[in-house]
Amino acid sequence: MNMNKNIKDFKNISFLVKVIVRGLFFFIFPAAYSSAFSGAKYAVSRISSGEPIELNPFVMILIGLLAFTILFGRYFCGFACAFGTYGDVLYEISVRVRKKFKKKPFAFSIESGLWLKYGKYICAVALLALCYFGKESIIGKISPWTVFSRLEALSLPDKGNIIGVFIFLALSILMLFEKRFFCRFLCPMGAIFAIMPVFPPSQLGRNRSRCFGKCKQCINVCPANITITDTTCDENGEADIPEIPIQLGDSSMGECFACGKCVESCPANNIKSVTILKEYKGLMWIVIKGAVLAVLLYFLMF
Ligand code: SF4
Ligand code: SF4
């Protein structure tokens, strides 16, 4: 009874902490993701014109977020990106509505997710190619991010961005039905983050031999349906951090949003990471990483 109460209390506190962290990033740094992508677009345009890349604020934000991602994984996507938070809120609403009406949740199969995730790399290459060939203005006319930024600032989207409005609406509908639809399958900035190597202590690993039977709890709760990389055991039977930092398979850590849901939900406490820990230490890490990222973005953006 007492244990159940402790678990319930922890879940409530964890939910509250995550809502506060995400809410603060949403309202204080709503443009961080679009600024970082502007840095990438600018860099590609300069490469195409043969001019040196200056360290303007957009490039600095891009460099700052990439460095942060190498150190801590995609915490930015997991907790700090305004568009990612918007998608998660939509999905959460749809889950609750479907529960109320006793409707089964819709979800792509894990196999289709494995293929669809390459969509974001195609998007990134296509958009950066437009910049390379001097057609960057097209992006402004079709960008759902621009529409979102305008709405977030409580302004109406530009009339010239009608295609962007349609894309934004289509994405919003898709994000209602599939968790992290945009982030996993279409986000060009997500594609750039996903190819970053992740510092080993921030990677996840599990010792499959210690799992409870055929338990798939970690895959089921994961917003990216990731199968955690199996690790080898050392002589004490302890799981090591995976030796291969990035795999293009299902366990690719580049696809991991560093949200910690798998670690929190594992009944065997079997998923290892130094910077995503279970229970209150895990929450503490979320707050510490959030504070580091907030300070970084504050100096880069203001
Ligand atoms: S994948 Fe893209 S939209 Fe999703 S959280 Fe990351 S930067 Fe934001
Ligand atoms: S549930 Fe685990 S593997 Fe999946 S995104 Fe979150 S931290 Fe990464």
Side-chain angles (χ1 to χ4, degrees), residues 112-152:
S112 7
L114 278 179
W115 285 105
L116 288 170
K117 73 180 182 186
Y118 293 108
K120 65 178 172 294
Y121 299 104
I122 296 172
C123 273
V125 170
L127 294 177
L128 293 177
L130 285 175
C131 300
Y132 190 85
F133 294 111
K135 304 280 181 208
E136 194 181 331
S137 58
I138 296 178
I139 302 178
K141 289 184 188 145
I142 60 171
S143 165
W145 277 357
T146 313
V147 176
F148 175 70
S149 304
R150 300 271 306 183
L151 293 176
E152 217 196 357

Side-chain angles (χ1 to χ4, degrees), residues 33 74 76-77 81 83-84 145 180 182-183 187 189-190 193:
Y33 66 107
R74 286 173 69 186
F76 175 79
C77 294
C81 172
F83 207 69
W145 277 357
R180 290 270 176 166
F182 181 74
C183 305
C187 177
M189 202 52 230
F193 286 137

Side-chain angles (χ1 to χ4, degrees), residues 6-69:
N6 286 347
I7 293 173
K8 205 171 164 213
D9 283 351
F10 170 71
K11 280 191 173 162
N12 289 339
I13 292 172
S14 166
F15 181 75
L16 193 68
V17 168
K18 288 173 186 172
V19 167
I20 292 173
V21 169
R22 296 188 77 167
L24 287 174
F25 277 107
F26 187 90
F27 289 110
I28 302 176
F29 304 107
Y33 66 107
S34 51
S35 305
F37 194 57
S38 296
K41 289 187 292 186
Y42 164 80
V44 170
S45 316
R46 299 293 276 195
I47 292 169
S48 115
S49 63
E51 291 169 279
I53 300 170
E54 282 166 25
L55 292 180
N56 67 27
F58 295 133
V59 174
M60 291 303 289
I61 292 168
L62 175 67
I63 294 173
L65 286 184
L66 293 184
F68 185 86
T69 301

